[in-house]
Amino acid sequence: MPRSSAAKRKSKRTKSVVPVRLWIAGSKNSHLAHTLDVSNHGVKLGGCRGEMKVGDKIEIQYHYQRAQFQVTWITAHKGSSEKQIGAECLEPEKQVWGATFPQEADEYKR
């Protein structure tokens, strides 16, 4: 999904590659994935498997912290069953990543 260079995120992303477990709403099965970058308001995940679509609610666990997220975009890689997804945190007060990140805006760059 192309984004305008004038668009801005709510907070700056921080590169962070850590393993996470996720559950897709309505399923008891969990999937392993990893973060690519994180912020107070969302996450970019790689290595995602399982059937999901934009708008689905997912639960992400990092260490012993869990929070609810909503899928905002999905990119499927050609020839692979793995996907990258972007998800907005629906419970930012939980600080699932164990840290608070700067609130400065991060402009999209092409």
Side-chain angles (χ1 to χ4, degrees):
M1 167 184 344
R3 298 189 189 255
S4 158
S5 60
K8 294 187 179 204
R9 291 184 178 87
K10 291 180 184 176
S11 61
K12 191 168 181 73
R13 297 184 301 178
T14 301
K15 289 187 187 298
S16 175
V17 180
V18 296
V20 295
R21 184 169 298 275
L22 67 92
W23 290 263
I24 302 166
S27 175
K28 293 187 185 248
N29 298 327
S30 65
H31 302 272
L32 294 176
H34 58 274
T35 63
L36 296 170
D37 55 47
V38 299
S39 74
N40 294 328
H41 296 92
V43 63
K44 179 179 178 182
L45 297 173
C48 297
R49 297 180 186 269
E51 292 300 316
M52 67 184 90
K53 59 188 181 306
V54 172
D56 281 353
K57 293 205 175 17
I58 59 174
E59 183 173 37
I60 298 175
Q61 178 180 336
Y62 174 61
H63 289 295
Y64 297 105
Q65 296 293 323
R66 288 185 182 196
Q68 297 292 317
F69 288 76
Q70 184 169 18
V71 177
T72 56
W73 57 264
I74 300 174
T75 302
H77 294 287
K78 206 173 203 177
S80 174
S81 62
E82 293 186 355
K83 301 179 256 312
Q84 284 187 357
I85 68 167
E88 179 180 3
C89 187
L90 301 175
E91 303 173 296
E93 69 281 357
K94 286 194 172 180
Q95 296 182 5
V96 70
W97 313 118
T100 304
F101 300 102
Q103 291 299 312
E104 55 194 74
D106 182 18
E107 291 188 25
Y108 290 104
K109 294 184 177 102
R110 288 186 161 222

